[in-house]
Amino acid sequence: MPFWGLQKQLGIDVDNWLVRQSMPQPHGQAAACHAFEREWVECGHGLGQTRARRECQLEYEDFMECMKRTKLAKRLRIILEQRDRMIKQGKYTPPDYHMGKEEPRP
């Protein structure tokens, strides 16, 4: 227990985001990234911080990708840029329902 709890005084919880996957979930179901967090924790258990960073890098990257979805967002951005380029070149015409030109439904 720290002598002076800065996080508590400021009303923030910096390390809550890292362990939120292990917290009790509603309806008793595991969280989406629970398996990745578990692999990372099991890999680094008992190794020490310096050695765990080196040896468990792949597990940590998988866990962070599951949490933040950065690689997925990058791939989606590339796909949308390619689609826009193809539309400008006239090689692709999106369907009417993607352009908001479809007939109204009853």
Side-chain angles (χ1 to χ4, degrees):
M1 183 162 133
F3 177 70
W4 184 50
L6 183 62
Q7 289 185 28
K8 188 175 181 180
Q9 284 189 344
L10 294 175
I12 58 174
D13 191 4
V14 176
D15 42 28
N16 183 30
W17 69 273
L18 191 58
V19 294
R20 69 177 159 180
Q21 298 297 318
S22 296
M23 292 171 40
Q25 300 293 321
H27 310 295
Q29 296 177 350
C33 300
H34 176 72
F36 292 108
E37 182 184 22
R38 190 169 169 188
E39 287 176 7
W40 176 56
V41 170
E42 286 176 359
C43 176
H45 180 71
L47 291 179
Q49 186 176 6
T50 306
R51 188 171 161 205
R53 275 194 187 138
R54 185 175 57 246
E55 293 184 17
C56 302
Q57 185 66 31
L58 293 175
E59 287 84 357
Y60 180 72
E61 287 176 2
D62 288 342
F63 177 50
M64 285 295 112
E65 170 59 22
C66 184
M67 295 285 285
K68 297 181 180 179
R69 308 277 187 205
T70 53
K71 293 177 186 176
L72 179 71
K74 183 178 178 182
R75 284 193 304 266
L76 182 60
R77 186 172 49 249
I78 290 170
I79 290 170
L80 292 175
E81 288 172 358
Q82 182 179 5
R83 183 197 67 176
D84 292 341
R85 265 188 270 124
M86 289 176 69
I87 290 173
K88 284 182 182 178
Q89 294 172 355
K91 294 181 180 179
Y92 174 71
T93 305
D96 289 339
Y97 54 86
H98 282 202
M99 302 298 291
K101 297 178 183 176
E102 69 176 5
E103 297 177 12
R105 296 181 183 173

